[in-house]
Amino acid sequence: MASHLVPSVQEMVAASGGDVVPPRYLRPEVTSDPVAGDTKAAIPVIDFQRLLDPDASHVELARFHGACQDWGFFQLINQSVPDGVAQAMMEVTEDFFRLPAETKKQFAQEPGQLDGCGHLFVVSEQQKLDWSDVLYLNTQPPERRNMKFWPDSPANLRVTLDKYTAAVKNVAECLLAIMAKNLAIQPEAIAEKCIDGIQTVRMNYYPPCAQADKVIGLSPHSDAGLLTLVLQVNEVQGLQIMRDGKWVPVSPIQGALIVNLGDTFEIFTNGRYMSVEHRVVVDPQKERLSIAVFHNPSMDAMIGPLKEIATCEKDQVYMTVDHASFRRLYFSAKLEGKNFLEGMKLKISSSSS
Ligand code: OGA
Ligand code: NI
């Protein structure tokens, strides 16, 4: 992993105004993909308060089930992260990326580690790169926090990140419990695998690029974990999800969290709920910022189809591996759509009994 050797995109843009795109960032193969012009194909909007309301939740529960099953992506409105906490989180994220390059370098990723400031998923010297800078941190359980990479500037970043991720964790845990209900399994079937679950955060900074149609902000991928909750920091659009062979742009609703299901959820449910491929495109004039919080099972959980869902071994579509191996495999692969998950599928042999 040589990501620490790659200069930040922000520095490059500062030097050239984003006019000169180094060859390592040019991605002709991704720019020709069709984008859906039909904005009616908007991702579902789910009302968190209605989900929690015992009287009014019937319709919302069914809509939520549909969103998980048919889309794997939805916007969550009326969610419970206090406005002030979300606002503070957006501010520290902007303030961090505005710091001088020299200051940010103090928190640069180190070889073989994901935590810190840099690029994600750099696995070879030849590999093409995404047009973004990231700050990636482990937030839960507390013993996984590597404070060396938690910036102490801006001064309130640490305390804000702590509060924000705690609030987001609550939302994620509520959603997981309701998803279990919708799947007609006991909430404990999932919750037990998530005691001391791993939570990480990725703050993304996508600088503008004069040749925006020749670069990609974040390569097509599906997320590794159970649930990802994304807060978009400013009004600049960029996130797109793959649906029926086309990229569908997401227009975030102010105050909403954009939620998506990851590969682990697809495996747990043996494919009943699916992770969905998504990517981020870059704006020619404006920077874009987002904060993604990833929720995963505990480190000691096995990753495989839940026995409550795939009762017989022969029904299992995915293999079962320990969590450490699962994460090692995911993070050592280049981001390439859902290829990683394809590799987790068991080969169905007609002779098996
Ligand atoms: C991610 C991601 C979306 C965004 O960080 O995995 O998909 O809007 N981010 O930045
Ligand atoms: Ni993602």
Side-chain angles (χ1 to χ4, degrees):
M1 213 173 296
S3 53
H4 62 299
L5 299 174
V6 181
S8 82
V9 181
Q10 213 177 351
E11 273 178 283
M12 251 167 19
V13 172
S16 76
D19 289 343
V20 186
V21 177
R24 261 193 105 176
Y25 290 89
L26 292 175
R27 307 287 285 277
E29 78 286 3
V30 289
T31 50
S32 52
D33 284 355
V35 173
D38 179 9
T39 45
K40 284 199 199 70
I43 67 169
V45 176
I46 301 293
D47 186 325
F48 189 58
Q49 294 309 320
R50 275 207 225 157
L51 280 183
L52 300 177
D53 177 355
D55 296 326
S57 67
H58 237 77
V59 177
E60 204 64 17
L61 280 178
R63 293 186 61 244
F64 183 40
H65 183 59
C68 293
Q69 196 168 259
D70 304 331
W71 285 83
F73 251 97
F74 54 92
Q75 301 210 45
L76 191 69
I77 56 167
N78 286 327
Q79 40 85 12
S80 60
V81 178
D83 285 347
V85 174
Q87 191 58 40
M89 187 63 214
M90 297 196 273
E91 281 165 19
V92 294
T93 303
E94 283 196 305
D95 291 350
F96 176 75
F97 285 108
R98 299 220 187 297
L99 290 173
E102 285 316 307
T103 313
K104 282 181 285 192
K105 284 214 174 92
Q106 293 169 24
F107 311 103
Q109 288 165 341
E110 286 172 6
Q113 284 199 326
L114 294 171
D115 282 51
C117 195
H119 281 66
L120 268 196
F121 295 96
V122 181
V123 292
S124 82
E125 297 286 337
Q126 290 77 39
Q127 183 197 327
K128 293 280 186 173
L129 296 175
D130 290 347
W131 192 261
S132 54
D133 295 325
V134 304
L135 173 62
Y136 181 87
L137 297 168
N138 271 273
T139 47
Q140 289 292 340
E143 60 270 22
R144 284 180 71 90
R145 293 184 178 192
N146 191 338
M147 297 315 285
K148 191 172 135 187
F149 297 105
W150 284 51
D152 48 9
S153 168
N156 55 343
L157 188 145
R158 290 181 174 188
V159 52
T160 305
L161 183 60
D162 187 54
K163 276 196 199 143
Y164 177 73
T165 51
V168 171
K169 182 167 181 267
N170 275 332
V171 177
E173 284 172 354
C174 284
L175 290 177
L176 287 171
I178 304 167
M179 288 158 97
K181 190 168 163 186
N182 270 341
L183 288 160
I185 58 172
Q186 293 296 324
E188 292 76 30
I190 295 173
E192 272 168 8
K193 286 186 173 268
C194 296
I195 300 165
D196 291 328
I198 299 174
Q199 184 197 50
T200 62
V201 62
R202 188 196 300 166
M203 289 166 247
N204 299 295
Y205 181 85
Y206 305 96
C209 180
Q211 300 190 60
D213 56 350
K214 303 225 163 37
V215 301
I216 191 88
L218 183 53
S219 295
H221 68 284
S222 54
D223 296 345
L226 289 167
L227 275 186
T228 305
L229 286 77
V230 177
L231 182 64
Q232 167 143 345
V233 175
N234 61 8
E235 71 296 343
V236 182
Q237 280 191 30
L239 177 62
Q240 302 181 333
I241 71 169
M242 177 49 84
R243 190 165 169 84
D244 301 330
K246 290 208 175 99
W247 291 107
V248 178
V250 175
S251 316
I253 300 169
Q254 215 198 343
L257 286 166
I258 300 162
V259 183
N260 72 285
L261 279 58
D263 293 348
T264 303
F265 213 99
E266 176 165 336
I267 295 172
F268 271 17
T269 61
N270 206 31
R272 285 181 60 191
Y273 283 177
M274 291 211 303
S275 67
V276 170
E277 204 178 331
H278 52 285
R279 68 176 191 179
V280 176
V281 296
V282 171
D283 190 276
Q285 268 126 29
K286 294 185 215 140
E287 63 186 17
R288 177 173 183 273
L289 293 101
S290 67
I291 302 153
V293 186
F294 305 95
H295 298 85
N296 307 270
S298 353
M299 202 57 196
D300 57 9
M302 292 301 284
I303 308 297
L306 297 176
K307 58 180 184 316
E308 292 79 357
I309 287 182
T311 336
C312 308
E313 211 167 305
K314 69 169 172 41
D315 296 335
Q316 296 180 359
V317 178
Y318 304 88
M319 57 180 90
T320 299
V321 296
D322 65 88
H323 200 179
S325 307
F326 180 81
R327 287 181 77 77
R328 200 167 43 244
L329 289 168
Y330 181 90
F331 286 106
S332 61
K334 200 162 58 145
L335 275 193
E336 222 163 22
K338 289 186 69 171
N339 274 0
F340 167 74
L341 194 63
E342 279 304 310
M344 291 291 294
K345 283 193 177 159
L346 292 163
K347 309 283 171 282
I348 309 292
S349 115
S350 51
S351 63
S352 69
S353 53

